C-alpha cells in the first residue's frame, strides 16, 4: 500500500513537471505590465472568505486572495474576480464548479487550490505550487476507558485466562495429592469426618492457601511428603513472579488515563467498523479512495460508497460531517487547526484527535487557462512570491489560532500526583460487592439455623403429647 501511494505521488510530481509552464522555454520576458486577468473567487475559509454584498458587490479576503493583490501591485497587472456560481456549486460541488470555470474558459486563473492530475491536465495548466502539504487524519477523540476495570489492565486477557486455569489446576493437584496421602497414611483425625466433609475441608484449606499466596499474606501448610513440597515450591515460585509483575504495574493502571483505541493510520481506518472517511466530491482524495486497487485504500473506498453522505459537495456540508464525530477527515495541518478551533469555541471541549502524518503528500497549485501565453510568466512571478515567505506569513496571520491545548500529547504520570478516589473505584466496588454477598450469606445461614432449631422443638412437643397420662 505504501508503494502504491509513493507511486501515486511520483505520478503527481511527474504531471506537475510536464505541465508546469515555467519548466519549459518561452520567448515571453517582457513582464506582466498592463496584462489583464480574469480570476476566480471561492469561499473556502480560512484561506478564502467571499462575502456577498448588495447590488452584486462582494468582498474577498484571506491568504489566497492576498497572492493576487500583492502580485497585481508588484507586477502591475489588472484583474477582475469572478465568483463561482453558487447554484452550480450546490449541485456539482465546490471543486467541480471551480474546475468548470476553467473548462468553460470563464477565467484565466483559478484560485481554487488544485492538485495536478493527468485528467485535469487535458483542459488546464498548473502554476508553480503555492504549497506542498502532507496529510494527517482528524478523528473523534477516543473516550476514556472505565477505571472500574483498572485492576484487570496489568494483564492481558490471555494472561488472565492462563492464570485462572493455573489456579484451578494447582487447587486440584493439591486436593488430589492430599486425598491420596490420606488414603495411604490416614491420620486419627480423618475418621472424625465423612469422606465428603474431609474433601470439602481440604479444598477450603488449599483455596485459602492459594489466595493468601496471591495476596502476599502467607499461610502455613503441612506438607510432610517431598512430592507435595515440590508441588508447593513450584507454585510459590510461579506465584512470586505473577504477583510482583501484577503489583508493579497496578499503580500505573489505576492512576494513568487510558483511552480507547482510535484511528492512527490508513490501515486502522480500513479496519474500523465505526468511522468512515469523508472527502469533498471530485477531489483527488475522494477519487483516489474510490478508484483504488490496493487492499487498504479499496476498503476505505468501499466504506465511502456504502455511506454516500461521506462525500460532500460544499465546505458547509463537510463541516457538518466532521463535527458529527462520525467520520475521519484527511487534511493538512493548518486547516485541521482551523476546524479544531471552531469546534473548541462552539463546545468548549477538545473533541478531536490528530494522528501522525499518513503517507500522502500533494502539491497545491493555481489552475491556469490552457494555452494562455502569460501562464509561464505568471508562474515565474508566483515562484518569486513563494520564495519571499510572504505566503506562510499571511497564512499564519490569517489563522491566529489557540488550539495548543487540544494538540498537546498527554504526559500523565502515576508518580506525579497522589492517588484520587476515582482511581480506586474498582477496589471499593469489589469491597462493596463482597460485603453484600457476605451479608446475603449471613442471612441465609440465620434462616437455616432457625429452621434447624425448630425441628427438634416440634419433635419434642410431639413426643410429649404421646406420653401416658
Amino acid at each position: 500500500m505504501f508503494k502504491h501511494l509513493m507511486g501515486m505521488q511520483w505520478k503527481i510530481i511527474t504531471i506537475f513537471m510536464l505541465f508546469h509552464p515555467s519548466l519549459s522555454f518561452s520567448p515571453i520576458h517582457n513582464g506582466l505590465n498592463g496584462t489583464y486577468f480574469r480570476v476566480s473567487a471561492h469561499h473556502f475559509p480560512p484561506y478564502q472568505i467571499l462575502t456577498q454584498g448588495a447590488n452584486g458587490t462582494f468582498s474577498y479576503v484571506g491568504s489566497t486572495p492576498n497572492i493576487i493583490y500583492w502580485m497585481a501591485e508588484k507586477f502591475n497587472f489588472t484583474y477582475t474576480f469572478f465568483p463561482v456560481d453558487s447554484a452550480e456549486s450546490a449541485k456539482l460541488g465546490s471543486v467541480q464548479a471551480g474546475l468548470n470555470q476553467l473548462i468553460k474558459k470563464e477565467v484565466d486563473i483559478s484560485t481554487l487550490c488544485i492538485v495536478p492530475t493527468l485528467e485535469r491536465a487535458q483542459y488546464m495548466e498548473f502554476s508553480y505550487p503555492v504549497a506542498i502539504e502532507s496529510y494527517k487524519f482528524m478523528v473523534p477523540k477516543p473516550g476514556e476507558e472505565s477505571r472500574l476495570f483498572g485492576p484487570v489492565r496489568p494483564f492481558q486477557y490471555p494472561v488472565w485466562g492462563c492464570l485462572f486455569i493455573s489456579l484451578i489446576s494447582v487447587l486440584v493437584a493439591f486436593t488430589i495429592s492430599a486425598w491420596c496421602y490420606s488414603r495411604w497414611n490416614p491420620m486419627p483425625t480423618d475418621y472424625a469426618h465423612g469422606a465428603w466433609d474431609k474433601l470439602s475441608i481440604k479444598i477450603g484449606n488449599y483455596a485459602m492457601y492459594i489466595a493468601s499466596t496471591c495476596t502476599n499474606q502467607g499461610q502455613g501448610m503441612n506438607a510432610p511428603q517431598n512430592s507435595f513440597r515440590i508441588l508447593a515450591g513450584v507454585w510459590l515460585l510461579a506465584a512470586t513472579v505473577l504477583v510482583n509483575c501484577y503489583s508493579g504495574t497496578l499503580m500505573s493502571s489505576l492512576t494513568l488515563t487510558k483511552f480507547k483505541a482510535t484511528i492512527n493510520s490508513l490501515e486502522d481506518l480500513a479496519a474500523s467498523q465505526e468511522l468512515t472517511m469523508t472527502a469533498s466530491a471530485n477531489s483527488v482524495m475522494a477519487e483516489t479512495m474510490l478508484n483504488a486497487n490496493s487492499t487498504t485504500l479499496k476498503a476505505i473506498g468501499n466504506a465511502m460508497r456504502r455511506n454516500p453522505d461521506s462525500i460532500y459537495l460544499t465546505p458547509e456540508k463537510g463541516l457538518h460531517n466532521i463535527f458529527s464525530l462520525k467520520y475521519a477527515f484527511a487534511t493538512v495541518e493548518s486547516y485541521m487547526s482551523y476546524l479544531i478551533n471552531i469546534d473548541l469555541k462552539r463546545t468548549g471541549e477538545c473533541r478531536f484527535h490528530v494522528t501522525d502524518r499518513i503517507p500522502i503528500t500533494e502539491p497545491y497549485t493555481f489552475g491556469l487557462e490552457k494555452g494562455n501565453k502569460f501562464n509561464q510568466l505568471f508562474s515565474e512571478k508566483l515562484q518569486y512570491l513563494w520564495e519571499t515567505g510572504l505566503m506562510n506569513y499571511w497564512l499564519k496571520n490569517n489563522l491566529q489560532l489557540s488550539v495548543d491545548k487540544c494538540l498537546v500529547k498527554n504526559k500523565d504520570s502515576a508518580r506525579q500526583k497522589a492517588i484520587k478516589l476515582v482511581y480506586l473505584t474498582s477496589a471499593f466496588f469489589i469491597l462493596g460487592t463482597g460485603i453484600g454477598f457476605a451479608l446475603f450469606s449471613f442471612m441465609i445461614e440465620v434462616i437455616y439455623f432457625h429452621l434447624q432449631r425448630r425441628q427438634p422443638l416440634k419433635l419434642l412437643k410431639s413426643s410429649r403429647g404421646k406420653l401416658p397420662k
Side-chain angles (χ1 to χ4, degrees):
M1 194 248 339
F2 180 75
K3 291 182 179 179
H4 171 78
L5 290 173
M6 289 301 294
M8 180 183 67
Q9 292 175 22
W10 276 111
K11 288 179 182 178
I12 292 175
I13 294 172
T14 303
I15 294 167
F16 173 73
M17 294 180 67
L18 287 173
F19 297 98
H20 177 219
S22 66
L23 296 178
S24 60
F25 296 101
S26 172
I28 300 173
H29 297 290
N30 59 347
L32 297 175
N33 185 34
T35 306
Y36 171 74
F37 290 110
R38 298 167 300 164
V39 184
S40 68
H42 309 266
H43 183 68
F44 188 68
Y47 311 104
Q48 307 173 65
I49 302 175
L50 181 64
T51 306
Q52 298 287 349
N55 302 322
T57 61
F58 60 88
S59 65
Y60 190 40
V61 297
S63 57
T64 303
N66 283 348
I67 296 174
I68 302 299
Y69 298 147
W70 186 90
M71 291 183 65
E73 182 178 354
K74 180 72 174 179
F75 304 113
N76 197 29
F77 64 78
T78 59
Y79 59 89
T80 301
F81 283 120
F82 290 85
V84 67
D85 184 74
S86 57
E88 187 174 4
S89 180
K91 181 180 179 181
L92 302 176
S94 56
V95 174
Q96 189 60 48
L99 295 176
N100 285 346
Q101 287 184 303
L102 284 170
I103 295 173
K104 298 175 182 178
K105 296 187 179 297
E106 296 174 351
V107 296
D108 303 307
I109 301 170
S110 174
T111 56
L112 179 69
C113 289
I114 297 171
V115 177
T117 65
L118 281 172
E119 180 184 356
R120 293 173 178 177
Q122 296 176 8
Y123 53 81
M124 70 170 67
E125 296 178 13
F126 307 106
S127 72
Y128 187 85
V130 295
I132 300 177
E133 297 278 4
S134 296
Y135 280 74
K136 296 181 178 181
F137 273 131
M138 176 179 173
V139 297
K141 190 174 183 179
E144 182 180 342
E145 287 191 359
S146 173
R147 297 183 188 271
L148 189 63
F149 301 99
V152 182
R153 291 177 188 167
F155 290 156
Q156 294 181 343
Y157 292 117
V159 178
W160 282 113
C162 292
L163 181 59
F164 179 76
I165 294 173
S166 300
L167 294 176
I168 299 299
S169 301
V170 171
L171 179 60
V172 170
F174 280 160
T175 305
I176 293 176
S177 299
W179 180 79
C180 292
Y181 296 147
S182 65
R183 297 269 298 182
W184 299 334
N185 187 19
M187 302 293 292
T189 55
D190 292 340
Y191 299 103
H193 305 283
W196 287 108
D197 290 339
K198 290 189 291 182
L199 184 62
S200 61
I201 291 173
K202 291 182 184 297
I203 292 174
N205 289 338
Y206 295 136
M208 288 300 298
Y209 172 74
I210 293 173
S212 64
T213 305
C214 292
T215 55
N216 274 334
Q217 298 301 312
Q219 178 178 322
M221 183 178 65
N222 184 25
Q225 292 82 10
N226 290 330
S227 58
F228 200 92
R229 291 173 182 173
I230 293 173
L231 178 62
V234 171
W235 159 245
L236 288 175
L237 181 60
T240 300
V241 176
L242 292 171
V243 170
N244 281 282
C245 288
Y246 178 81
S247 59
T249 56
L250 179 61
M251 181 67 73
S252 60
S253 297
L254 293 174
T255 57
L256 293 182
T257 303
K258 185 174 178 62
F259 294 98
K260 297 177 182 178
T262 187
I263 304 298
N264 279 301
S265 64
L266 289 166
E267 290 77 9
D268 291 342
L269 181 59
S272 175
Q273 300 297 322
E274 300 177 357
L275 295 179
T276 306
M277 178 184 283
T278 184
S280 178
N282 299 305
S283 65
V284 172
M285 180 64 70
E287 295 299 323
T288 299
M289 298 302 167
L290 294 175
N291 300 320
N293 294 320
S294 70
T295 304
T296 301
L297 300 187
K298 188 175 182 179
I300 297 174
N302 290 338
M304 295 174 71
R305 289 189 187 90
R306 290 192 296 268
N307 186 3
D309 289 340
S310 63
I311 303 174
Y312 58 86
L313 295 176
T314 62
E316 292 74 20
K317 176 60 177 175
L319 293 179
H320 177 269
N321 282 0
I322 296 166
F323 294 149
S324 69
L325 303 180
K326 298 179 181 178
Y327 298 92
F329 183 53
T331 187
V332 300
E333 192 166 357
S334 58
Y335 190 55
M336 195 175 296
S337 298
Y338 168 74
L339 296 177
I340 293 175
N341 184 65
I342 292 177
D343 189 67
L344 181 60
K345 288 181 178 179
R346 287 181 179 177
T347 64
E349 300 177 2
C350 298
R351 303 195 303 158
F352 290 96
H353 166 72
V354 178
T355 68
D356 295 330
R357 286 185 175 87
I358 58 177
I360 298 179
T361 301
E362 294 179 340
Y364 290 96
T365 70
F366 282 170
L368 306 177
E369 183 188 16
K370 194 172 184 66
N372 192 314
K373 63 181 181 179
F374 294 104
N375 285 350
Q376 177 190 346
L377 195 54
F378 177 84
S379 209
E380 289 174 356
K381 303 305 181 184
L382 186 62
Q383 179 181 357
Y384 170 79
L385 171 58
W386 185 84
E387 291 172 350
T388 64
L390 284 173
M391 290 185 187
N392 289 333
Y393 173 77
W394 291 331
L395 180 60
K396 290 180 180 179
N397 277 2
N398 195 37
L399 292 175
Q400 291 184 345
L401 306 176
S402 299
V403 294
D404 291 343
K405 71 174 185 178
C406 294
L407 300 177
V408 68
K409 298 291 184 180
N410 186 18
K411 296 183 179 180
D412 198 5
S413 173
R415 298 179 180 272
Q416 294 177 352
K417 55 186 179 182
I419 298 176
K420 298 180 181 179
L421 180 61
V422 67
Y423 298 156
L424 299 176
T425 303
S426 55
F428 285 108
F429 175 79
I430 294 171
L431 178 61
T433 304
I435 292 174
F437 276 116
L439 291 174
F440 177 77
S441 178
F442 176 75
M443 295 302 298
I444 295 297
E445 290 173 353
V446 170
I447 294 171
Y448 178 79
F449 173 77
H450 282 289
L451 290 175
Q452 291 292 103
R453 188 177 179 184
R454 284 181 183 179
Q455 229 171 2
L457 291 176
K458 288 181 180 180
L459 291 174
L460 181 61
K461 288 180 180 180
S462 62
S463 63
R464 285 180 178 177
K466 296 178 180 178
L467 291 173
K469 295 182 180 178

